[in-house]
Amino acid sequence: MAETIYDVAIIGGGPAGYTAAIRAGQYGLKVALIEKEPKLGGTCLHVGCIPTKALLFNAEIYDHLKHAEEYGIEGLGKGKVNWKTVLDRKNQIITKHVKGLDFLMRKNKVTVIPGYGKLTGPAKDGVHSIEVSSGKGKAETVKAKNVVLATGSDAKMLPGVEAGPNVLTNIEILSLNEIPKSLVIIGAGAVGVEFGSIFRSYDAEISIVEFLPRLVPAEDEDVSKELARVFKKRGIDINVGAKVEKVETSKSGVKVTFTASDGKQVVKEAEKVLVAVGRAPRTEGIGLEKTKIKPDRGFIKVNEFMQTDEPGVYAIGDIVAGLPQLAHVGAMAGMVIAAKIAGKYARPIKRNRIPGCTYTEPQIGSVGLTEAQAKEKGYQVKVGKFPFSANSKASIVGSHEGFIKVVADGKYGEILGVHIIGPQATELIAEAVTALELEATVEEMMFTIHAHPTLAEALLDGFGSVEGLAINI
Ligand SMILES: Cc1cc2nc3c(=O)[nH]c(=O)nc-3n(C[C@H](O)[C@H](O)[C@H](O)COP(=O)(O)OP(=O)(O)OC[C@H]3O[C@@H](n4cnc5c(N)ncnc54)[C@H](O)[C@@H]3O)c2cc1C
C-alpha cells in the first residue's frame, strides 16, 4: 500500500490543535492529529477552562442558596456542600466533551494518532517526517506536507518548590478529596483569583499573595481596584506587591513566608498552597533543535499567519510568543492556519481584539486598550463609566457590584477598549468585541437598540457615558 502523506499533521490535541484539525478536515484536507495523552482536550478540557468553570458554577449556585430567603425561598436550612458530587458533575462534563471531540474527529475524517510527536528535521522534497512514539514497540513515522505544533503549556513552579499533597497546581487542586479549610494562593492572574473565588464561596479562608502591585495585573487599573474591593468584602485576604521568600510544607499544611509591600516579613499558614504564577510552554523534547526554530524562553516566534522560521512548520496555542495563553486564541489561530494551508481566505489575529475573561465573582470581561495603554499610545482619550447599581436587570438578579468602562478616542469617537466587571461580564464582552472588530464609534453604539430589561443595556449606558449621556445615572 502507498505510504500516507497527510496535508497537515498536528502535534497536540488541545483546543488549538483539535480546532485546527476540525477546520482543516472541513476544508477537505487530509489531517493527522497526534496526542500523547489517552484523551483529547488538553489543559483546557481536563485541568483548565472547563473544570474550573464547572466548579465556579456550583459555587455561584451555593452563593445564591445562602441568600435563598431574600428570594422568598424558605426551609432550605444552612445547606451543605457534597464535594464528591461537585467533582463528579465536573468529571461528567469533561467525559461528555471528550466523547464530543472523538465524534468531531470522526465526522471530519481526522486520523487521531496516539503517541508523543517529535520533529525530525526540515522537510525533504516538501514532506516532513514526525517521529511518534506510543511506548508500545517501535516509533512510527508520520509524513505530512505541513506540521502544526500545538503542544501547550504546564504550570510554572517557584524555584525549589515541588507540587505535592499540600503544594498544588491547577492539576492537583481540581481533584482534592476535601474542600481545604484554608488556602494560600500565590499569583493573582486569572487562574489564581478564580480558584480564590471558588474556594471562598465554599467558606475556605483565602490569602492571595501577588508580586505585582495589583490583582489581575493585565486588566485596567479600575477593574483591579474593584475586584480587590469586592474580594475584601467577601473576606479574602489580599497581599499585593509581595515577594514570596519561602514555601515550607509539613504533614498538616504549609507555611508561606513573604516580604510584604511595606518591607515587613509575613508568614501565612494554611492547609494548602496553590502556585499560580504562570504557564511555561511545552517546547522541549519536540525536536526544535533540528530545525530553524529558536525558542525565546521556550516560546516560539511566528508571523501573522502563525508560520515559524522553519518552512512548512506552524505554531499555535500556548507555545506562541506574544499572544495571551487563552483557549480561544489558540483555537482561532488553529482556524487561521487551516485556512492558510487550504489556500482559503485567512485573516490574522489582531492582538487588540482578543477578549480576556476572568470567571470570578464578580466576573471580568475586557477587550482592547486599557485607559493607561490608550494614553501611552497618544490617543486623546475619553472615558465613560457606568455602574451596574443603576441597571434594573442587575437589581433583578441581585448583583450590583462593578461597572462598565469604555475607553474611546476623543477625536474620532472610535471605541478603543471596553472593561467590564460585574454580573455576566464574560458574556457581555462579546458585544464589545464585535464593536471593536467592526471599528464602531461611540455614537454608532449609542444608537444601537439594546433590549430592556437586560444587563446588556448597561453597555448602552456605558457607551452613552463617554459623552456624558447615560440615561440611567
Ligand atoms: C486553571 C486554568 C483555567 C483556565 N481557564 C481558561 C478559560 O476560562 N478560558 C481560556 O480561554 N483559557 C483558560 N485557560 C488557558 C487554556 O487552558 C489554555 O490557553 C489552552 O488549553 C491552550 O491550548 P493549547 O491547545 O495550546 O494547549 P493544551 O490545552 O495544553 O493542549 C496541548 C496538548 O498537546 C499534547 N501534547 C504536548 N506535547 C505533545 C507531544 N510532543 N506529542 C503529542 N501530544 C503532545 C498535550 O498532551 C495536550 O493534550 C485556563 C488554564 C488553566 C490552567
Side-chain angles (χ1 to χ4, degrees):
M1 225 169 79
E3 187 182 34
T4 304
I5 297 180
Y6 292 94
D7 292 314
V8 52
I10 301 160
I11 307 181
Y18 71 66
T19 307
I22 293 170
R23 184 51 62 85
Q26 288 169 337
Y27 285 136
L29 298 177
K30 201 167 178 52
V31 189
L33 180 61
I34 302 159
E35 171 55 55
K36 67 178 173 61
E37 296 297 326
K39 292 172 187 166
L40 294 179
T43 302
C44 170
L45 181 52
H46 297 280
V47 286
C49 329
I50 304 301
T52 48
K53 267 82 260 182
L55 297 190
L56 276 155
F57 186 67
N58 289 56
E60 191 184 329
I61 293 180
Y62 186 45
D63 280 338
H64 281 303
L65 291 178
K66 287 179 201 162
H67 304 282
E69 289 188 3
E70 244 177 70
Y71 296 94
I73 304 162
E74 290 181 353
L76 294 185
K78 204 170 161 286
K80 195 171 153 245
V81 176
N82 183 330
W83 184 239
K84 188 181 170 303
T85 310
V86 172
L87 292 187
D88 284 349
R89 181 173 184 275
K90 168 204 78 142
N91 293 337
Q92 280 159 16
I93 295 169
I94 296 172
T95 305
K96 173 176 182 272
H97 286 273
V98 169
K99 283 188 188 148
L101 284 177
D102 292 341
F103 162 76
L104 289 171
M105 294 307 125
R106 288 193 301 275
K107 182 181 170 208
N108 294 292
K109 299 189 174 54
V110 173
T111 305
V112 178
I113 302 176
Y116 188 95
K118 202 171 168 178
L119 293 169
T120 56
K124 290 193 182 94
D125 299 324
V127 178
H128 296 266
S129 296
I130 301 161
E131 184 190 290
V132 181
S133 29
S134 61
K136 291 181 211 134
K138 224 172 123 244
E140 68 173 299
T141 302
V142 172
K143 300 211 166 208
K145 292 178 199 158
N146 298 280
V147 179
V148 180
L149 304 173
T151 47
S153 62
D154 287 310
K156 273 193 206 158
M157 259 294 152
L158 293 168
V161 180
E162 263 181 43
N166 295 333
V167 180
L168 316 171
T169 69
N170 62 299
I171 297 177
E172 298 79 21
I173 198 168
L174 283 165
S175 48
L176 288 174
N177 291 331
E178 282 173 17
I179 298 170
K181 290 192 178 54
S182 52
L183 178 67
V184 174
I185 296 174
I186 304 176
V191 173
V193 293
E194 283 183 5
F195 279 113
S197 190
I198 294 172
F199 287 103
R200 184 62 199 141
S201 294
Y202 291 134
D203 305 317
E205 292 297 324
I206 306 288
S207 285
I208 297 180
V209 184
E210 165 62 48
F211 180 69
L212 291 171
R214 56 194 175 96
L215 300 183
V216 285
E219 298 294 340
D220 189 276
E221 256 185 83
D222 285 350
V223 168
S224 297
K225 270 188 212 151
E226 180 68 356
L227 184 68
R229 187 187 70 77
V230 180
F231 265 20
K232 277 183 197 154
K233 208 167 119 186
R234 292 184 62 193
I236 295 176
D237 166 50
I238 295 171
N239 307 271
V240 288
K243 184 170 182 294
V244 172
E245 308 291 352
K246 235 186 321 180
V247 176
E248 293 160 289
T249 57
S250 63
K251 267 203 187 121
S252 59
V254 288
K255 216 158 99 176
V256 177
T257 308
F258 61 89
T259 307
S261 55
D262 60 5
K264 288 198 185 119
Q265 231 184 39
V266 180
V267 179
K268 295 267 174 205
E269 292 194 47
E271 218 175 280
K272 312 266 179 203
V273 59
L274 169 71
V275 181
V277 293
R279 312 266 317 159
R282 276 190 212 114
T283 49
E284 268 181 30
I286 56 169
L288 296 186
E289 64 288 350
K290 293 177 182 142
T291 70
K292 291 201 179 81
I293 302 169
K294 300 279 165 274
D296 179 8
R297 283 165 297 153
F299 289 98
I300 299 180
K301 280 182 276 132
V302 292
N303 68 9
E304 56 178 355
F305 289 112
M306 319 310 291
Q307 286 160 320
T308 67
D309 289 338
E310 181 63 42
V313 179
Y314 296 75
I316 54 176
D318 281 8
I319 56 174
V320 170
L323 283 176
Q325 291 176 303
L326 292 169
H328 45 278
V329 178
M332 184 51 78
M335 293 187 241
V336 171
I337 57 109
K340 190 76 187 154
I341 293 170
K344 307 279 180 195
Y345 170 73
R347 216 163 71 156
I349 289 176
K350 293 186 194 125
R351 185 73 176 71
N352 279 337
R353 305 283 189 267
I354 297 173
C357 291
T358 306
Y359 300 75
T360 35
E361 176 51 46
Q363 295 186 355
I364 300 168
S366 62
V367 62
L369 301 180
T370 63
E371 184 178 353
Q373 286 166 342
K375 282 182 179 156
E376 229 169 77
K377 283 189 180 292
Y379 284 103
Q380 212 179 294
V381 176
K382 240 175 150 177
V383 169
K385 213 166 161 191
F386 180 78
F388 278 106
S389 56
N391 172 269
S392 52
K393 185 67 187 281
S395 302
I396 293 165
V397 300
S399 189
H400 265 149
E401 311 288 7
F403 54 78
I404 290 179
K405 176 171 175 178
V406 177
V407 179
D409 166 31
K411 207 164 163 194
Y412 302 108
E414 186 179 344
I415 299 159
L416 303 172
V418 177
H419 308 275
I420 310 176
I421 177 163
Q424 299 298 325
T426 58
E427 300 288 339
L428 293 176
I429 199 64
E431 174 182 340
V433 178
T434 310
L436 260 76
E437 192 63 45
L438 300 177
E439 297 179 6
T441 62
V442 168
E443 241 174 18
E444 282 164 330
M445 294 314 291
M446 279 173 66
F447 286 95
T448 301
I449 300 176
H450 290 66
H452 176 75
T454 57
L455 293 168
E457 264 179 312
L459 269 163
L460 182 63
D461 272 324
F463 294 123
S465 65
V466 177
E467 297 299 337
L469 292 170
I471 294 294
N472 292 295
I473 197 157

